[in-house]
Amino acid sequence: MKQNYVILTDSSCDLPAELARQLEIAVLPLTLTLGGKEYANYLDGREIGFSQFYHRIRQGETATTSAANVEGYCSMMEPFLREGQDILLLVFSSGLSSTYQAAAMAVEELSAQYPERKLAAVDTRCASMGQGLLVYLAAKKRAEGKTMEEVRAWAEEEKFHLCHWFTVDDLMYLKRGGRLNAATALVGTALGIKPVLHIDDDGHLINVGKARGRRGALTALVDRMAELAVDPEKNPVFISHGDCLDDAKMVEKLVKQRLGVKEVVISYVGPVIGAHTGPGVVALFFLGRER
């Protein structure tokens, strides 16, 4: 029996808009400021197209982002509550943003106003299509007839098996975000060193390795998957990219050839995440023994 509750996430999940629509996932758009103008980051790029965004920051424009606020969550959730629906929120990592804190406060506020409804927020400790993959799998569980409580419990456990591995093309974006010091970024750029990064159990971005050259870094992502993946031939794999589709397709080819992966979804790293990772980021997401 199909369950009647809403799965709500935010646009840092970077899911393809059509996939989110098919799975009936509600998505709160986060915001960014570029060229002095604020844009909502809708999954369909209706306010700022993804390729347009990357073109502009390649030209030297600086993008800044802000977390969702309590009012934004409340205005998104109230129509569902008035219709008599319960809501499960799967929210951007608290290790990277205060978005989860806003969601939790909104849940507390609305629970008092609608005591007959069930609301719950999960700190996914995930980002980009790692968050998207968790949301995708949660929606599949709902479609199988799992209750909101069952899906919430599943998500709280499964999030620690949602592996995020990625590399960036330009170290200076990470330096601006405080993830690398200036000297490391300058030396790495001069030597063609590419970082290999992941998101840990606390939802923080961690620099864990390096590779020589772009192809070496992309191959290193697949090497990590080979070490950690659980049943890669049976489970979906998500790949996101910062306006570098050919590189994402190279990773797709490698995971299919080496690991027998059959289901792959490729999508853009949206502007909210892309503001911090820059053009050329490639990220690989899969289910593993551990993060």
Side-chain angles (χ1 to χ4, degrees):
M1 183 179 73
K2 184 176 179 180
Q3 296 293 319
N4 183 34
Y5 58 91
V6 174
I7 292 177
L8 171 63
T9 191
D10 52 78
S11 61
S12 62
C13 69
D14 290 340
L15 282 169
E18 179 59 21
L19 185 57
R21 187 193 66 77
Q22 290 172 5
L23 294 171
E24 299 180 336
I25 297 164
V27 182
L28 175 71
L30 302 184
T31 59
L32 68 146
T33 301
L34 182 66
K37 181 179 177 181
E38 187 174 88
Y39 298 91
N41 174 202
Y42 288 96
L43 295 183
D44 61 7
R46 71 185 71 167
E47 289 200 4
I48 182 166
F50 301 147
S51 60
Q52 176 194 13
F53 165 76
Y54 283 107
H55 173 75
R56 289 176 64 176
I57 62 173
R58 282 189 177 107
Q59 299 305 307
E61 291 191 60
T62 299
T64 58
T65 61
S66 56
N69 57 40
V70 176
E71 291 75 18
Y73 270 110
C74 287
S75 64
M76 182 88 179
M77 289 192 287
E78 278 210 86
F80 295 118
L81 297 172
R82 287 196 294 266
E83 291 171 1
Q85 297 190 78
D86 300 325
I87 305 175
L88 175 63
L89 295 87
L90 300 174
V91 188
F92 185 25
S93 172
S94 65
L96 297 170
S97 169
S98 61
T99 294
Y100 172 72
Q101 283 77 7
M105 291 173 66
V107 164
E108 182 177 0
E109 182 177 317
L110 291 176
S111 293
Q113 294 179 34
Y114 297 86
E116 72 284 4
R117 299 268 57 85
K118 290 184 290 189
L119 297 93
V122 173
D123 177 3
T124 66
R125 314 282 177 90
C126 295
S128 189
M129 287 187 81
Q131 178 182 340
L133 180 51
L134 191 71
V135 172
Y136 169 88
L137 294 171
K140 294 284 190 180
K141 295 285 184 187
R142 179 182 60 180
E144 293 168 5
K146 300 295 185 185
T147 66
M148 180 172 144
E149 291 80 5
E150 288 172 328
V151 174
R152 179 189 184 184
W154 169 88
E156 290 285 11
E157 180 178 347
E158 197 67 18
K159 67 187 184 185
F160 296 113
H161 299 279
L162 208 304
C163 300
H164 302 55
W165 289 92
F166 65 103
T167 188
V168 298
D169 197 41
D170 186 341
L171 293 165
M172 303 312 288
Y173 287 93
L174 288 175
K175 189 271 289 185
R176 282 200 290 269
R179 299 301 179 183
L180 288 176
N181 63 47
T184 300
L186 288 169
V187 171
T189 299
L191 297 177
I193 299 298
K194 305 298 182 185
V196 178
L197 309 104
H198 88 131
I199 290 180
D200 66 10
D201 283 351
D202 293 324
H204 296 123
L205 187 157
I206 305 294
N207 187 4
V208 293
K210 57 189 176 182
R212 179 60 62 87
R214 180 67 163 178
R215 186 178 183 89
L218 297 176
T219 302
L221 304 183
V222 183
D223 292 342
R224 296 289 188 169
M225 182 173 173
E227 295 170 14
L228 295 168
V230 172
D231 295 330
E233 69 284 354
K234 297 178 183 177
N235 289 317
V237 170
F238 282 14
I239 301 169
S240 60
H241 67 93
D243 204 33
C244 51
L245 180 60
D246 287 346
D247 288 340
K249 286 187 172 295
M250 175 186 158
V251 174
E252 177 187 27
K253 182 178 179 181
L254 288 174
V255 297
K256 286 182 173 180
Q257 288 178 342
R258 290 179 54 183
L259 301 169
V261 171
K262 295 180 175 61
E263 182 183 353
V264 176
V265 176
I266 297 176
S267 189
Y268 267 95
V269 175
V272 166
I273 303 292
H276 302 282
T277 54
V281 59
V282 176
L284 177 61
F285 308 97
F286 56 91
L287 294 176
R289 299 188 312 275
E290 58 188 12
R291 284 203 173 185

